[in-house]
Amino acid sequence: MKLIFLGPPGAGKGTLAAKAVEFLKVPHISTGAIFRSAMAAKSPLGLKVKAIIDAGKLVDDETTIELVKDRLAQADAQGGYILDGFPRTIPQAEALAAFSPVDRAVNFDLPDSAVRERLGGRRVCRQCGTNYHQVFNRSRREGICDSCGGEVYIRDDDQPGAIQKRLEVYREQTAPLTAFYRNLGILVEVDASPDVEQVVENFKSAMEKLV
Ligand code: ADP
Ligand code: ADP
Ligand code: ZN
């Protein structure tokens, strides 16, 4: 099963993907996570994208498409994948349709007020990428990851100015993708506003309706 996860920043795509890999048995591929490890390693890619990402803007299509194409060519992605955070523009969606057409596009729907609340309280493990939230999903020990003991930090792009910019970019460039996939007849809508366990259930039942 080849899936993409769409929806505004902070909708819970990464959180849901981490749960869904357990029952779908496919890898979770997050372009944001790939960029964050490149930035942490200060690789040429990381150095190139840091200022763009911290400002809440999108990395250019050419760089991002190339990155995803290489990643999807790896052995573990041959039986399917959850692609989280890609595509984010129509050119990216068109490129993906050419090199790896997906079975379903799952859109996680969440109002802006909830997006701000989720992004404003998001915390992330620097080492393994596990997501936390200072209100909805705290780590057991403040600042320390439950899974790996790594440092839990606030992403540079989760500052208020960058959050506003990311919402604008989402509206302008990414929201049109729902129509793109609806037209292909493969769009699945999921209400992302309840708690995580309920969103998992919403996701499962939305997927079942289609098989
Ligand atoms: P969020 O989970 O908050 O939506 P991501 O972790 O998916 O954010 O992405 C973080 C940042 O990485 C984005 O704001 C953007 O700058 C960059 N990025 C991730 N995926 C893409 C993409 N498909 N195209 C362009 N930029 C991307
Ligand atoms: P995305 O990948 O769409 O940007 P994340 O999975 O990183 O979103 O989730 C954003 C923040 O919201 C994180 O702090 C996460 O712990 C929290 N979160 C995710 N899903 C829910 C939910 N259903 N209810 C409350 N908080 C959530
Ligand atoms: Zn961790």
Side-chain angles (χ1 to χ4, degrees), residues 124-139:
V124 182
C125 175
R126 226 183 250 289
Q127 208 159 289
C128 74
T130 298
N131 277 318
Y132 297 93
H133 190 282
Q134 65 168 17
V135 178
F136 306 125
N137 177 26
R138 299 177 69 95
S139 56

Side-chain angles (χ1 to χ4, degrees), residues 30-173:
S30 157
T31 43
I34 296 172
F35 288 137
R36 278 186 291 284
S37 35
M39 291 189 287
K42 298 194 164 61
S43 71
L45 174 68
L47 295 173
K48 173 170 148 184
V49 300
K50 176 147 176 59
I52 299 167
I53 291 179
D54 288 354
K57 297 178 188 165
L58 292 183
V59 176
D60 68 277
D61 285 336
E62 199 188 338
T63 302
T64 311
I65 290 166
E66 211 42 49
L67 181 88
V68 171
K69 204 173 176 181
D70 286 352
R71 180 63 188 85
L72 295 188
Q74 289 175 24
D76 66 334
Q78 301 318 301
Y81 50 76
I82 296 175
L83 199 45
D84 160 19
F86 182 96
R88 262 177 155 95
T89 65
I90 295 284
Q92 290 180 12
E94 285 169 344
L96 182 66
F99 65 74
S100 184
V102 295
D103 301 305
R104 298 281 178 253
V106 187
N107 187 46
F108 292 90
D109 192 34
L110 193 71
D112 283 5
S113 55
V115 162
R116 287 201 179 81
E117 200 178 24
R118 288 189 187 178
L119 291 181
R122 175 159 62 188
R123 303 288 184 271
V124 182
C125 175
R126 226 183 250 289
Q127 208 159 289
C128 74
T130 298
N131 277 318
Y132 297 93
H133 190 282
Q134 65 168 17
V135 178
F136 306 125
N137 177 26
R138 299 177 69 95
S139 56
R140 283 194 292 274
R141 284 195 293 158
E142 182 66 28
I144 298 170
C145 176
D146 295 347
S147 324
C148 78
E151 181 206 353
V152 171
Y153 79 116
I154 302 177
R155 281 168 44 173
D156 289 339
D157 60 343
D158 279 343
Q159 308 298 336
I163 289 177
Q164 185 56 32
K165 180 70 188 167
R166 283 154 73 205
L167 274 169
E168 286 164 18
V169 167
Y170 170 75
R171 252 180 246 118
E172 282 165 22
Q173 305 209 49

Side-chain angles (χ1 to χ4, degrees), residues 185-207:
I186 59 170
L187 186 72
V188 179
E189 299 268 15
V190 173
D191 176 8
S193 54
D195 64 33
V196 176
E197 300 317 315
Q198 186 58 50
V199 179
V200 172
E201 290 311 311
N202 292 354
F203 167 71
K204 283 183 176 166
S205 53
M207 294 294 291

